[in-house]
Amino acid sequence: MSSGIAPGDMVLLRAAGGREYFASAGGEKLHTDLGIVDLKKLEGMAWGSTIESHLGKPFMALKPRAPDFFKHMRRTGAPMMPKDIGAIIAYTGICPSDTVLDAGTGSGVLAVYLGTIAKKVVTYESNEQFANNAKKNVELAGLGNVEVRHGDILEEIGRLEGPFDAVTLDLQDAARAAAGAYRVLLPGGFLATYSPFFEQAAETRKAIEEAGFSEVNTIIVGEQELEVGRRGTRPSTRVGHTGFITIARK
């Protein structure tokens, strides 16, 4: 049974019309166009309860999930999409006892998803501005088990001791990190790489095989929404392809 809202918990406040706001229980008052919400009143409330602003406007207090952070976090560049993240989690079997090394943090989308599952996530981002933004997104998600490091994994991986249960790479030069990933992985651990182009995927796969990995598979994950309207229901015409995922095991 889920416990109530504790001081410092991140809360997703949903108002009428689908408007949503992130807030910290017990923090400063939240000022919105629907009125001021006293965040201290959230403490001790049950998840799913309703709190009113000083104007009497209701806000439902929801426990944030990874898709909420994906929707609301500040983006830097193109983040990995949930469909690809889901495939990586499914095919690597990342679980609550795992320590994961991630690189190419970007906005921190993948790191946040992994942080809701794994015991510990260490993620590297070479762009300082991106790394600082990712740290803020991780804080927004309230994840104390995700450590964002500013650094180039291609330089750092040779100095890392590990071991890690899984390594995830969203890098243009993922091929250059394959040998290092093999070294820091536990036997039986998984490597997952994301490549946006055919050429990059082929180069990365070759490097992974040369590094000694087994069970190497490269997949494309498609997604197509259904458009539901008065005239009928049909598949959306939007393209669902984003990139290539390579999964390998040590």
Side-chain angles (χ1 to χ4, degrees), residues 195-216:
S195 309
F197 304 110
F198 277 105
E199 295 82 1
Q200 184 186 23
E203 180 186 14
T204 300
R205 179 171 178 134
K206 180 181 178 183
I208 288 172
E209 292 173 342
E210 291 176 347
F213 285 93
S214 62
E215 303 177 31
V216 184

Side-chain angles (χ1 to χ4, degrees), residues 51-117:
I51 185 172
E52 293 186 349
S53 70
H54 81 291
L55 296 179
K57 301 295 183 180
F59 293 76
M60 184 177 292
L62 303 177
K63 189 172 185 177
R65 313 292 289 186
D68 299 314
F69 297 120
F70 175 83
K71 182 167 63 174
H72 290 284
M73 65 174 47
R74 183 181 176 185
R75 309 282 180 84
T76 50
M80 192 180 295
M81 301 303 290
K83 70 179 183 67
D84 298 315
I85 294 172
I88 287 174
I89 292 172
Y91 284 106
T92 60
I94 291 170
C95 65
S97 63
D98 286 348
T99 299
V100 182
L101 173 64
D102 174 57
T105 314
S107 303
V109 171
L110 177 58
V112 166
Y113 269 84
L114 295 177
T116 64
I117 300 170

Side-chain angles (χ1 to χ4, degrees), residues 27-245:
E28 298 293 330
K29 293 183 178 181
L30 177 68
H31 294 257
T32 77
D33 57 342
L34 298 175
I36 301 171
V37 180
D38 187 351
L39 300 178
K40 290 185 179 179
K41 292 183 179 180
L42 288 170
E43 296 180 11
M45 292 178 64
W47 292 106
S49 299
T50 298
I51 185 172
E52 293 186 349
S53 70
H54 81 291
L55 296 179
K57 301 295 183 180
F59 293 76
M60 184 177 292
L62 303 177
K63 189 172 185 177
R65 313 292 289 186
D68 299 314
F69 297 120
F70 175 83
K71 182 167 63 174
H72 290 284
M73 65 174 47
R74 183 181 176 185
R75 309 282 180 84
T76 50
M80 192 180 295
M81 301 303 290
K83 70 179 183 67
D84 298 315
I85 294 172
I88 287 174
I89 292 172
Y91 284 106
T92 60
I94 291 170
C95 65
S97 63
D98 286 348
T99 299
V100 182
L101 173 64
D102 174 57
T105 314
S107 303
V109 171
L110 177 58
V112 166
Y113 269 84
L114 295 177
T116 64
I117 300 170
K119 178 181 179 180
K120 173 74 175 179
V121 179
V122 178
T123 180
Y124 279 85
E125 173 55 56
S126 60
N127 184 303
E128 186 174 9
Q129 181 181 351
F130 288 6
N132 290 335
N133 180 65
K135 288 178 181 179
K136 293 178 182 178
N137 285 332
V138 168
E139 290 175 2
L140 174 67
L143 295 172
N145 63 331
V146 178
E147 180 183 353
V148 180
R149 298 179 181 177
H150 171 225
D152 188 343
I153 192 62
L154 300 178
E155 299 175 358
E156 299 292 337
I157 200 166
R159 296 190 284 266
L160 290 176
E161 294 183 6
F164 295 93
D165 299 283
V167 176
T168 56
L169 303 174
D170 182 5
L171 303 170
Q172 183 175 351
D173 296 323
R176 294 174 55 197
Y182 186 90
R183 185 185 65 81
V184 300
L185 272 170
L186 280 168
F190 282 90
L191 168 66
T193 69
Y194 177 82
S195 309
F197 304 110
F198 277 105
E199 295 82 1
Q200 184 186 23
E203 180 186 14
T204 300
R205 179 171 178 134
K206 180 181 178 183
I208 288 172
E209 292 173 342
E210 291 176 347
F213 285 93
S214 62
E215 303 177 31
V216 184
N217 291 291
T218 302
I219 62 173
I220 298 172
V221 181
E223 182 179 67
Q224 195 168 27
E225 295 182 6
L226 288 181
E227 294 180 348
V228 180
R230 292 184 177 180
R231 296 179 58 189
T233 304
R234 65 180 184 179
S236 169
T237 57
R238 285 176 288 184
V239 178
H241 168 70
T242 47
F244 306 90
I245 299 170

